Amino acid sequence: MSQVFACEFPDHLWFDVERDVWIESLPSGTLRIGMTDPAQTRAGKILHVRGRPGKSVKAGKNVATIESAKWVGPFPAPVDGTVVRVNEIVLKDPNMINRDPYGEGWVAELQPGDEWLSPHLIKGADVAAIYREKLQEEGITCMRCAPIEETMSDSDDAV
């Protein structure tokens, strides 16, 4: 996994840098997509996600709508396809995108057109240099909205 300014970029994913979207090709032939670490950092705490399966989309068009404390906006498709599934976890707990953008915080799954790979998509292992320049220009260092966990042990009780 590559890291740039505390932003993570898993090597096995494809990235649409312009749209800040990642793609994972699943064995079923569908594509799982989500917000990149820089995108979730820029957005701040995600409050709502809305989307619906069955919608055909062109690259760059709206797959879902995401609302954060800072903005409301479209989540763009990185490639042409049909939305076959919207992540039920993020519909119920939108902040999962902030906590785990490349895991349980994925946004949707698309059935892509015939050829979805294109020159604008960059493999995770090769994307670090591009994001380094972009994040430096934007002054972004990534952070995650993690839940507070109790870390107090029995020994902490003794005074």
Side-chain angles (χ1 to χ4, degrees):
M1 177 169 329
S2 301
Q3 269 198 340
V4 178
F5 300 115
C7 300
E8 296 178 350
F9 302 98
D11 294 339
H12 72 286
L13 300 178
W14 292 90
F15 290 85
D16 180 333
V17 177
E18 180 184 335
R19 295 181 180 109
D20 269 326
V21 175
W22 59 262
I23 300 171
E24 179 180 16
S25 179
L26 301 175
S28 65
T30 59
L31 304 177
R32 183 168 283 171
I33 60 175
M35 292 178 80
T36 64
D37 208 357
Q40 70 80 23
T41 295
R42 251 187 244 101
K45 184 177 179 180
I46 306 293
L47 304 173
H48 299 285
V49 176
R50 287 181 288 287
R52 61 180 170 83
K55 181 178 181 180
S56 290
V57 293
K58 293 285 187 192
K61 297 301 179 183
N62 189 13
V63 169
T65 301
I66 296 182
E67 180 179 347
S68 76
K70 295 181 181 181
W71 60 267
V72 175
F75 176 72
V79 298
D80 295 351
T82 300
V83 179
V84 293
R85 189 168 147 199
V86 177
N87 187 351
E88 291 292 327
I89 294 171
V90 302
L91 293 176
K92 293 176 184 159
D93 180 10
N95 190 241
M96 182 59 74
I97 294 171
N98 298 112
R99 295 190 310 267
D100 191 14
Y102 300 118
E104 289 188 45
W106 58 273
V107 176
E109 290 180 359
L110 297 176
Q111 183 62 53
D114 291 338
E115 183 55 45
W116 62 271
L117 275 177
S118 66
H120 83 281
L121 299 175
I122 300 167
K123 195 72 169 173
D126 302 323
V127 81
I130 296 166
Y131 265 105
R132 179 175 307 284
E133 185 175 319
K134 182 176 180 170
L135 296 173
Q136 190 165 9
E137 285 175 8
E138 295 175 4
I140 292 177
T141 298
C142 286
M143 60 183 183
R144 305 273 175 91
C145 298
I148 298 173
E149 296 179 21
E150 287 205 31
T151 57
M152 196 166 139
S153 68
D154 292 337
S155 63
D156 293 333
D157 289 336
V159 179

